[in-house]
PDB file of all heavy atoms in Angstrom:
ATOM      1  N   ASP A 573      68.535 171.574  54.301  1.00 93.00           N
ATOM      2  CA  ASP A 573      69.699 171.105  53.550  1.00 93.00           C
ATOM      3  C   ASP A 573      70.549 170.116  54.351  1.00 93.00           C
ATOM      4  O   ASP A 573      71.313 169.351  53.778  1.00 93.00           O
ATOM      5  CB  ASP A 573      70.578 172.279  53.111  1.00 93.00           C
ATOM      6  CG  ASP A 573      69.990 173.046  51.940  1.00 93.00           C
ATOM      7  OD1 ASP A 573      69.101 172.495  51.239  1.00 93.00           O
ATOM      8  OD2 ASP A 573      70.419 174.194  51.721  1.00 93.00           O
ATOM      9  N   GLN A 574      70.403 170.125  55.660  1.00 94.00           N
ATOM     10  CA  GLN A 574      71.210 169.254  56.509  1.00 94.00           C
ATOM     11  C   GLN A 574      70.491 167.965  56.901  1.00 94.00           C
ATOM     12  O   GLN A 574      71.056 167.134  57.597  1.00 94.00           O
ATOM     13  CB  GLN A 574      71.621 170.016  57.775  1.00 94.00           C
ATOM     14  CG  GLN A 574      72.497 171.215  57.481  1.00 94.00           C
ATOM     15  CD  GLN A 574      72.820 172.005  58.730  1.00 94.00           C
ATOM     16  OE1 GLN A 574      72.540 171.585  59.843  1.00 94.00           O
ATOM     17  NE2 GLN A 574      73.418 173.173  58.541  1.00 94.00           N
ATOM     18  N   LEU A 575      69.261 167.805  56.439  1.00 91.00           N
ATOM     19  CA  LEU A 575      68.472 166.634  56.824  1.00 91.00           C
ATOM     20  C   LEU A 575      68.782 165.427  55.957  1.00 91.00           C
ATOM     21  O   LEU A 575      69.034 165.552  54.765  1.00 91.00           O
ATOM     22  CB  LEU A 575      66.976 166.944  56.706  1.00 91.00           C
ATOM     23  CG  LEU A 575      66.402 167.896  57.741  1.00 91.00           C
ATOM     24  CD1 LEU A 575      64.951 168.191  57.428  1.00 91.00           C
ATOM     25  CD2 LEU A 575      66.530 167.326  59.135  1.00 91.00           C
ATOM     26  N   GLY A 576      68.713 164.272  56.579  1.00 91.00           N
ATOM     27  CA  GLY A 576      68.848 163.035  55.832  1.00 91.00           C
ATOM     28  C   GLY A 576      67.490 162.449  55.465  1.00 91.00           C
ATOM     29  O   GLY A 576      67.385 161.587  54.609  1.00 91.00           O
ATOM     30  N   ASP A 577      66.443 162.936  56.117  1.00 93.00           N
ATOM     31  CA  ASP A 577      65.081 162.446  55.889  1.00 93.00           C
ATOM     32  C   ASP A 577      64.453 163.203  54.727  1.00 93.00           C
ATOM     33  O   ASP A 577      64.094 164.370  54.847  1.00 93.00           O
ATOM     34  CB  ASP A 577      64.268 162.635  57.161  1.00 93.00           C
ATOM     35  CG  ASP A 577      62.863 162.072  57.081  1.00 93.00           C
ATOM     36  OD1 ASP A 577      62.359 161.857  55.962  1.00 93.00           O
ATOM     37  OD2 ASP A 577      62.275 161.861  58.151  1.00 93.00           O
ATOM     38  N   GLU A 578      64.321 162.550  53.580  1.00 94.00           N
ATOM     39  CA  GLU A 578      63.830 163.226  52.369  1.00 94.00           C
ATOM     40  C   GLU A 578      62.371 163.649  52.490  1.00 94.00           C
ATOM     41  O   GLU A 578      61.985 164.688  51.969  1.00 94.00           O
ATOM     42  CB  GLU A 578      64.022 162.315  51.147  1.00 94.00           C
ATOM     43  CG  GLU A 578      63.730 162.992  49.832  1.00 94.00           C
ATOM     44  CD  GLU A 578      64.597 164.230  49.561  1.00 94.00           C
ATOM     45  OE1 GLU A 578      65.741 164.280  50.027  1.00 94.00           O
ATOM     46  OE2 GLU A 578      64.105 165.147  48.873  1.00 94.00           O
ATOM     47  N   VAL A 579      61.557 162.861  53.179  1.00 95.00           N
ATOM     48  CA  VAL A 579      60.139 163.223  53.343  1.00 95.00           C
ATOM     49  C   VAL A 579      60.031 164.509  54.150  1.00 95.00           C
ATOM     50  O   VAL A 579      59.304 165.440  53.779  1.00 95.00           O
ATOM     51  CB  VAL A 579      59.344 162.072  54.003  1.00 95.00           C
ATOM     52  CG1 VAL A 579      57.916 162.506  54.312  1.00 95.00           C
ATOM     53  CG2 VAL A 579      59.343 160.840  53.101  1.00 95.00           C
ATOM     54  N   LEU A 580      60.743 164.580  55.252  1.00 95.00           N
ATOM     55  CA  LEU A 580      60.733 165.788  56.075  1.00 95.00           C
ATOM     56  C   LEU A 580      61.302 166.969  55.304  1.00 95.00           C
ATOM     57  O   LEU A 580      60.788 168.087  55.373  1.00 95.00           O
ATOM     58  CB  LEU A 580      61.512 165.559  57.374  1.00 95.00           C
ATOM     59  CG  LEU A 580      61.577 166.738  58.342  1.00 95.00           C
ATOM     60  CD1 LEU A 580      60.180 167.209  58.716  1.00 95.00           C
ATOM     61  CD2 LEU A 580      62.366 166.347  59.575  1.00 95.00           C
ATOM     62  N   ARG A 581      62.334 166.723  54.545  1.00 94.00           N
ATOM     63  CA  ARG A 581      62.951 167.781  53.740  1.00 94.00           C
ATOM     64  C   ARG A 581      61.939 168.361  52.750  1.00 94.00           C
ATOM     65  O   ARG A 581      61.828 169.570  52.595  1.00 94.00           O
ATOM     66  CB  ARG A 581      64.174 167.237  52.998  1.00 94.00           C
ATOM     67  CG  ARG A 581      64.931 168.283  52.229  1.00 94.00           C
ATOM     68  CD  ARG A 581      66.191 167.666  51.588  1.00 94.00           C
ATOM     69  NE  ARG A 581      66.931 168.653  50.864  1.00 94.00           N
ATOM     70  CZ  ARG A 581      66.622 169.084  49.642  1.00 94.00           C
ATOM     71  NH1 ARG A 581      65.582 168.601  49.009  1.00 94.00           N
ATOM     72  NH2 ARG A 581      67.356 170.004  49.055  1.00 94.00           N
ATOM     73  N   GLN A 582      61.171 167.500  52.094  1.00 95.00           N
ATOM     74  CA  GLN A 582      60.170 167.971  51.141  1.00 95.00           C
ATOM     75  C   GLN A 582      59.064 168.766  51.837  1.00 95.00           C
ATOM     76  O   GLN A 582      58.586 169.769  51.310  1.00 95.00           O
ATOM     77  CB  GLN A 582      59.568 166.791  50.359  1.00 95.00           C
ATOM     78  CG  GLN A 582      60.525 166.159  49.374  1.00 95.00           C
ATOM     79  CD  GLN A 582      61.030 167.159  48.352  1.00 95.00           C
ATOM     80  OE1 GLN A 582      60.271 167.939  47.789  1.00 95.00           O
ATOM     81  NE2 GLN A 582      62.337 167.140  48.113  1.00 95.00           N
ATOM     82  N   ARG A 583      58.677 168.325  53.021  1.00 96.00           N
ATOM     83  CA  ARG A 583      57.663 169.066  53.781  1.00 96.00           C
ATOM     84  C   ARG A 583      58.184 170.451  54.158  1.00 96.00           C
ATOM     85  O   ARG A 583      57.458 171.447  54.083  1.00 96.00           O
ATOM     86  CB  ARG A 583      57.267 168.286  55.026  1.00 96.00           C
ATOM     87  CG  ARG A 583      56.462 167.018  54.678  1.00 96.00           C
ATOM     88  CD  ARG A 583      56.074 166.254  55.891  1.00 96.00           C
ATOM     89  NE  ARG A 583      55.110 167.026  56.684  1.00 96.00           N
ATOM     90  CZ  ARG A 583      54.754 166.690  57.910  1.00 96.00           C
ATOM     91  NH1 ARG A 583      55.257 165.619  58.496  1.00 96.00           N
ATOM     92  NH2 ARG A 583      53.872 167.427  58.568  1.00 96.00           N
ATOM     93  N   LEU A 584      59.441 170.521  54.561  1.00 96.00           N
ATOM     94  CA  LEU A 584      60.032 171.811  54.909  1.00 96.00           C
ATOM     95  C   LEU A 584      60.161 172.714  53.684  1.00 96.00           C
ATOM     96  O   LEU A 584      59.984 173.932  53.794  1.00 96.00           O
ATOM     97  CB  LEU A 584      61.385 171.618  55.578  1.00 96.00           C
ATOM     98  CG  LEU A 584      61.330 171.037  56.997  1.00 96.00           C
ATOM     99  CD1 LEU A 584      62.734 170.756  57.514  1.00 96.00           C
ATOM    100  CD2 LEU A 584      60.574 171.956  57.931  1.00 96.00           C
ATOM    101  N   LEU A 585      60.444 172.139  52.528  1.00 95.00           N
ATOM    102  CA  LEU A 585      60.497 172.950  51.310  1.00 95.00           C
ATOM    103  C   LEU A 585      59.126 173.550  51.008  1.00 95.00           C
ATOM    104  O   LEU A 585      59.028 174.681  50.526  1.00 95.00           O
ATOM    105  CB  LEU A 585      61.011 172.121  50.130  1.00 95.00           C
ATOM    106  CG  LEU A 585      62.498 171.737  50.211  1.00 95.00           C
ATOM    107  CD1 LEU A 585      62.863 170.807  49.053  1.00 95.00           C
ATOM    108  CD2 LEU A 585      63.385 172.965  50.219  1.00 95.00           C
ATOM    109  N   GLY A 586      58.061 172.816  51.320  1.00 96.00           N
ATOM    110  CA  GLY A 586      56.712 173.367  51.176  1.00 96.00           C
ATOM    111  C   GLY A 586      56.483 174.535  52.123  1.00 96.00           C
ATOM    112  O   GLY A 586      55.871 175.549  51.756  1.00 96.00           O
ATOM    113  N   VAL A 587      56.975 174.405  53.349  1.00 96.00           N
ATOM    114  CA  VAL A 587      56.869 175.495  54.325  1.00 96.00           C
ATOM    115  C   VAL A 587      57.631 176.724  53.830  1.00 96.00           C
ATOM    116  O   VAL A 587      57.143 177.849  53.917  1.00 96.00           O
ATOM    117  CB  VAL A 587      57.395 175.037  55.709  1.00 96.00           C
ATOM    118  CG1 VAL A 587      57.540 176.213  56.660  1.00 96.00           C
ATOM    119  CG2 VAL A 587      56.492 173.967  56.291  1.00 96.00           C
ATOM    120  N   ILE A 588      58.816 176.500  53.300  1.00 97.00           N
ATOM    121  CA  ILE A 588      59.631 177.594  52.768  1.00 97.00           C
ATOM    122  C   ILE A 588      58.884 178.314  51.655  1.00 97.00           C
ATOM    123  O   ILE A 588      58.830 179.549  51.613  1.00 97.00           O
ATOM    124  CB  ILE A 588      60.987 177.053  52.257  1.00 97.00           C
ATOM    125  CG1 ILE A 588      61.824 176.544  53.418  1.00 97.00           C
ATOM    126  CG2 ILE A 588      61.742 178.103  51.458  1.00 97.00           C
ATOM    127  CD1 ILE A 588      62.969 175.637  53.009  1.00 97.00           C
ATOM    128  N   HIS A 589      58.288 177.541  50.777  1.00 97.00           N
ATOM    129  CA  HIS A 589      57.539 178.125  49.661  1.00 97.00           C
ATOM    130  C   HIS A 589      56.375 178.979  50.180  1.00 97.00           C
ATOM    131  O   HIS A 589      56.167 180.104  49.717  1.00 97.00           O
ATOM    132  CB  HIS A 589      57.031 177.006  48.750  1.00 97.00           C
ATOM    133  CG  HIS A 589      56.255 177.489  47.586  1.00 97.00           C
ATOM    134  ND1 HIS A 589      56.832 178.175  46.535  1.00 97.00           N
ATOM    135  CD2 HIS A 589      54.928 177.405  47.296  1.00 97.00           C
ATOM    136  CE1 HIS A 589      55.894 178.487  45.660  1.00 97.00           C
ATOM    137  NE2 HIS A 589      54.734 178.034  46.099  1.00 97.00           N
ATOM    138  N   ARG A 590      55.631 178.454  51.161  1.00 97.00           N
ATOM    139  CA  ARG A 590      54.494 179.214  51.712  1.00 97.00           C
ATOM    140  C   ARG A 590      54.960 180.482  52.425  1.00 97.00           C
ATOM    141  O   ARG A 590      54.317 181.534  52.315  1.00 97.00           O
ATOM    142  CB  ARG A 590      53.673 178.331  52.636  1.00 97.00           C
ATOM    143  CG  ARG A 590      52.858 177.279  51.867  1.00 97.00           C
ATOM    144  CD  ARG A 590      51.841 176.581  52.744  1.00 97.00           C
ATOM    145  NE  ARG A 590      52.413 175.921  53.910  1.00 97.00           N
ATOM    146  CZ  ARG A 590      52.922 174.687  53.915  1.00 97.00           C
ATOM    147  NH1 ARG A 590      52.954 173.980  52.804  1.00 97.00           N
ATOM    148  NH2 ARG A 590      53.392 174.168  55.029  1.00 97.00           N
ATOM    149  N   LEU A 591      56.068 180.402  53.148  1.00 97.00           N
ATOM    150  CA  LEU A 591      56.589 181.599  53.821  1.00 97.00           C
ATOM    151  C   LEU A 591      56.944 182.684  52.807  1.00 97.00           C
ATOM    152  O   LEU A 591      56.646 183.868  53.014  1.00 97.00           O
ATOM    153  CB  LEU A 591      57.821 181.250  54.665  1.00 97.00           C
ATOM    154  CG  LEU A 591      57.567 180.538  55.984  1.00 97.00           C
ATOM    155  CD1 LEU A 591      58.867 179.990  56.544  1.00 97.00           C
ATOM    156  CD2 LEU A 591      56.902 181.479  56.975  1.00 97.00           C
ATOM    157  N   ASN A 592      57.572 182.287  51.721  1.00 97.00           N
ATOM    158  CA  ASN A 592      57.937 183.266  50.697  1.00 97.00           C
ATOM    159  C   ASN A 592      56.710 183.810  49.971  1.00 97.00           C
ATOM    160  O   ASN A 592      56.650 185.007  49.665  1.00 97.00           O
ATOM    161  CB  ASN A 592      58.929 182.654  49.711  1.00 97.00           C
ATOM    162  CG  ASN A 592      60.325 182.613  50.281  1.00 97.00           C
ATOM    163  OD1 ASN A 592      60.787 183.552  50.911  1.00 97.00           O
ATOM    164  ND2 ASN A 592      61.012 181.511  50.071  1.00 97.00           N
ATOM    165  N   GLN A 593      55.710 182.960  49.722  1.00 97.00           N
ATOM    166  CA  GLN A 593      54.473 183.441  49.108  1.00 97.00           C
ATOM    167  C   GLN A 593      53.772 184.437  50.014  1.00 97.00           C
ATOM    168  O   GLN A 593      53.287 185.476  49.556  1.00 97.00           O
ATOM    169  CB  GLN A 593      53.522 182.277  48.812  1.00 97.00           C
ATOM    170  CG  GLN A 593      53.837 181.520  47.563  1.00 97.00           C
ATOM    171  CD  GLN A 593      52.787 180.459  47.304  1.00 97.00           C
ATOM    172  OE1 GLN A 593      52.311 179.781  48.221  1.00 97.00           O
ATOM    173  NE2 GLN A 593      52.425 180.312  46.047  1.00 97.00           N
ATOM    174  N   ASP A 594      53.704 184.106  51.307  1.00 97.00           N
ATOM    175  CA  ASP A 594      53.073 185.015  52.258  1.00 97.00           C
ATOM    176  C   ASP A 594      53.807 186.351  52.324  1.00 97.00           C
ATOM    177  O   ASP A 594      53.183 187.409  52.416  1.00 97.00           O
ATOM    178  CB  ASP A 594      53.010 184.387  53.654  1.00 97.00           C
ATOM    179  CG  ASP A 594      52.002 183.258  53.745  1.00 97.00           C
ATOM    180  OD1 ASP A 594      51.177 183.091  52.816  1.00 97.00           O
ATOM    181  OD2 ASP A 594      52.045 182.519  54.758  1.00 97.00           O
ATOM    182  N   ALA A 595      55.124 186.307  52.282  1.00 97.00           N
ATOM    183  CA  ALA A 595      55.903 187.545  52.292  1.00 97.00           C
ATOM    184  C   ALA A 595      55.561 188.403  51.080  1.00 97.00           C
ATOM    185  O   ALA A 595      55.399 189.626  51.198  1.00 97.00           O
ATOM    186  CB  ALA A 595      57.399 187.231  52.324  1.00 97.00           C
ATOM    187  N   GLU A 596      55.431 187.777  49.932  1.00 96.00           N
ATOM    188  CA  GLU A 596      55.075 188.520  48.719  1.00 96.00           C
ATOM    189  C   GLU A 596      53.681 189.121  48.836  1.00 96.00           C
ATOM    190  O   GLU A 596      53.456 190.279  48.471  1.00 96.00           O
ATOM    191  CB  GLU A 596      55.165 187.596  47.491  1.00 96.00           C
ATOM    192  CG  GLU A 596      54.841 188.285  46.193  1.00 96.00           C
ATOM    193  CD  GLU A 596      55.802 189.417  45.850  1.00 96.00           C
ATOM    194  OE1 GLU A 596      56.960 189.380  46.288  1.00 96.00           O
ATOM    195  OE2 GLU A 596      55.371 190.349  45.145  1.00 96.00           O
ATOM    196  N   GLU A 597      52.733 188.353  49.367  1.00 96.00           N
ATOM    197  CA  GLU A 597      51.373 188.874  49.540  1.00 96.00           C
ATOM    198  C   GLU A 597      51.346 190.036  50.530  1.00 96.00           C
ATOM    199  O   GLU A 597      50.612 191.008  50.336  1.00 96.00           O
ATOM    200  CB  GLU A 597      50.436 187.759  49.979  1.00 96.00           C
ATOM    201  CG  GLU A 597      50.134 186.770  48.874  1.00 96.00           C
ATOM    202  CD  GLU A 597      49.171 185.684  49.316  1.00 96.00           C
ATOM    203  OE1 GLU A 597      48.293 185.966  50.145  1.00 96.00           O
ATOM    204  OE2 GLU A 597      49.305 184.563  48.808  1.00 96.00           O
ATOM    205  N   LEU A 598      52.140 189.946  51.584  1.00 96.00           N
ATOM    206  CA  LEU A 598      52.214 191.043  52.549  1.00 96.00           C
ATOM    207  C   LEU A 598      52.775 192.302  51.899  1.00 96.00           C
ATOM    208  O   LEU A 598      52.297 193.412  52.150  1.00 96.00           O
ATOM    209  CB  LEU A 598      53.070 190.641  53.744  1.00 96.00           C
ATOM    210  CG  LEU A 598      52.432 189.634  54.705  1.00 96.00           C
ATOM    211  CD1 LEU A 598      53.474 189.055  55.638  1.00 96.00           C
ATOM    212  CD2 LEU A 598      51.308 190.286  55.484  1.00 96.00           C
ATOM    213  N   ARG A 599      53.767 192.137  51.061  1.00 95.00           N
ATOM    214  CA  ARG A 599      54.346 193.308  50.387  1.00 95.00           C
ATOM    215  C   ARG A 599      53.357 193.896  49.383  1.00 95.00           C
ATOM    216  O   ARG A 599      53.291 195.125  49.215  1.00 95.00           O
ATOM    217  CB  ARG A 599      55.663 192.936  49.735  1.00 95.00           C
ATOM    218  CG  ARG A 599      56.739 192.724  50.793  1.00 95.00           C
ATOM    219  CD  ARG A 599      58.132 192.981  50.288  1.00 95.00           C
ATOM    220  NE  ARG A 599      59.045 193.042  51.418  1.00 95.00           N
ATOM    221  CZ  ARG A 599      59.785 192.025  51.842  1.00 95.00           C
ATOM    222  NH1 ARG A 599      59.721 190.863  51.228  1.00 95.00           N
ATOM    223  NH2 ARG A 599      60.598 192.180  52.870  1.00 95.00           N
ATOM    224  N   LEU A 600      52.581 193.063  48.723  1.00 94.00           N
ATOM    225  CA  LEU A 600      51.550 193.583  47.821  1.00 94.00           C
ATOM    226  C   LEU A 600      50.497 194.352  48.610  1.00 94.00           C
ATOM    227  O   LEU A 600      50.046 195.421  48.182  1.00 94.00           O
ATOM    228  CB  LEU A 600      50.895 192.444  47.026  1.00 94.00           C
ATOM    229  CG  LEU A 600      51.765 191.798  45.960  1.00 94.00           C
ATOM    230  CD1 LEU A 600      51.066 190.553  45.392  1.00 94.00           C
ATOM    231  CD2 LEU A 600      52.103 192.770  44.858  1.00 94.00           C
ATOM    232  N   ALA A 601      50.111 193.816  49.764  1.00 94.00           N
ATOM    233  CA  ALA A 601      49.142 194.513  50.619  1.00 94.00           C
ATOM    234  C   ALA A 601      49.717 195.842  51.096  1.00 94.00           C
ATOM    235  O   ALA A 601      49.015 196.859  51.125  1.00 94.00           O
ATOM    236  CB  ALA A 601      48.756 193.638  51.806  1.00 94.00           C
ATOM    237  N   ARG A 602      50.998 195.841  51.451  1.00 93.00           N
ATOM    238  CA  ARG A 602      51.660 197.075  51.876  1.00 93.00           C
ATOM    239  C   ARG A 602      51.587 198.134  50.778  1.00 93.00           C
ATOM    240  O   ARG A 602      51.290 199.294  51.031  1.00 93.00           O
ATOM    241  CB  ARG A 602      53.116 196.798  52.222  1.00 93.00           C
ATOM    242  CG  ARG A 602      53.920 198.052  52.563  1.00 93.00           C
ATOM    243  CD  ARG A 602      55.381 197.891  52.306  1.00 93.00           C
ATOM    244  NE  ARG A 602      55.628 197.599  50.909  1.00 93.00           N
ATOM    245  CZ  ARG A 602      56.750 197.073  50.445  1.00 93.00           C
ATOM    246  NH1 ARG A 602      57.721 196.752  51.248  1.00 93.00           N
ATOM    247  NH2 ARG A 602      56.910 196.857  49.160  1.00 93.00           N
ATOM    248  N   ASP A 603      51.831 197.704  49.544  1.00 92.00           N
ATOM    249  CA  ASP A 603      51.817 198.649  48.432  1.00 92.00           C
ATOM    250  C   ASP A 603      50.422 199.188  48.139  1.00 92.00           C
ATOM    251  O   ASP A 603      50.280 200.261  47.558  1.00 92.00           O
ATOM    252  CB  ASP A 603      52.394 197.993  47.180  1.00 92.00           C
ATOM    253  CG  ASP A 603      53.885 197.710  47.318  1.00 92.00           C
ATOM    254  OD1 ASP A 603      54.523 198.313  48.212  1.00 92.00           O
ATOM    255  OD2 ASP A 603      54.398 196.881  46.545  1.00 92.00           O
ATOM    256  N   GLU A 604      49.378 198.436  48.535  1.00 91.00           N
ATOM    257  CA  GLU A 604      48.009 198.880  48.301  1.00 91.00           C
ATOM    258  C   GLU A 604      47.535 199.903  49.332  1.00 91.00           C
ATOM    259  O   GLU A 604      46.536 200.580  49.112  1.00 91.00           O
ATOM    260  CB  GLU A 604      47.064 197.681  48.292  1.00 91.00           C
ATOM    261  CG  GLU A 604      47.247 196.803  47.071  1.00 91.00           C
ATOM    262  CD  GLU A 604      46.349 195.585  47.094  1.00 91.00           C
ATOM    263  OE1 GLU A 604      45.547 195.443  48.036  1.00 91.00           O
ATOM    264  OE2 GLU A 604      46.456 194.775  46.164  1.00 91.00           O
ATOM    265  N   VAL A 605      48.241 199.973  50.450  1.00 86.00           N
ATOM    266  CA  VAL A 605      47.851 200.926  51.495  1.00 86.00           C
ATOM    267  C   VAL A 605      48.264 202.323  51.045  1.00 86.00           C
ATOM    268  O   VAL A 605      49.448 202.631  50.965  1.00 86.00           O
ATOM    269  CB  VAL A 605      48.498 200.566  52.850  1.00 86.00           C
ATOM    270  CG1 VAL A 605      48.174 201.630  53.889  1.00 86.00           C
ATOM    271  CG2 VAL A 605      48.040 199.197  53.309  1.00 86.00           C
ATOM    272  N   GLN A 606      47.299 203.133  50.730  1.00 69.00           N
ATOM    273  CA  GLN A 606      47.548 204.512  50.294  1.00 69.00           C
ATOM    274  C   GLN A 606      47.061 205.458  51.380  1.00 69.00           C
ATOM    275  O   GLN A 606      45.981 205.265  51.922  1.00 69.00           O
ATOM    276  CB  GLN A 606      46.822 204.804  48.982  1.00 69.00           C
ATOM    277  CG  GLN A 606      47.243 203.922  47.833  1.00 69.00           C
ATOM    278  CD  GLN A 606      48.695 204.117  47.448  1.00 69.00           C
ATOM    279  OE1 GLN A 606      49.203 205.224  47.428  1.00 69.00           O
ATOM    280  NE2 GLN A 606      49.369 203.032  47.165  1.00 69.00           N
ATOM    281  N   GLY A 607      47.835 206.455  51.670  1.00 53.00           N
ATOM    282  CA  GLY A 607      47.567 207.392  52.744  1.00 53.00           C
ATOM    283  C   GLY A 607      46.130 207.845  52.882  1.00 53.00           C
ATOM    284  O   GLY A 607      45.434 207.485  53.814  1.00 53.00           O
ATOM    285  N   ASP A 608      45.637 208.660  51.979  1.00 49.00           N
ATOM    286  CA  ASP A 608      44.297 209.222  52.100  1.00 49.00           C
ATOM    287  C   ASP A 608      43.208 208.211  51.771  1.00 49.00           C
ATOM    288  O   ASP A 608      42.048 208.403  52.114  1.00 49.00           O
ATOM    289  CB  ASP A 608      44.148 210.438  51.198  1.00 49.00           C
ATOM    290  CG  ASP A 608      45.042 211.572  51.633  1.00 49.00           C
ATOM    291  OD1 ASP A 608      45.381 211.645  52.829  1.00 49.00           O
ATOM    292  OD2 ASP A 608      45.401 212.396  50.786  1.00 49.00           O
TER     293      ASP A 608
END
Side-chain angles (χ1 to χ4, degrees):
D573 284 342
Q574 297 176 9
L575 289 175
D577 184 341
E578 188 59 30
V579 174
L580 180 56
R581 184 176 181 281
Q582 290 302 315
R583 290 180 67 191
L584 289 174
L585 290 175
V587 169
I588 293 163
H589 180 70
R590 288 191 303 275
L591 284 167
N592 282 318
Q593 280 184 320
D594 289 348
E596 181 62 27
E597 288 181 33
L598 287 166
R599 288 207 168 97
L600 289 172
R602 175 206 60 198
D603 292 342
E604 290 178 3
V605 175
Q606 300 296 320
D608 294 334

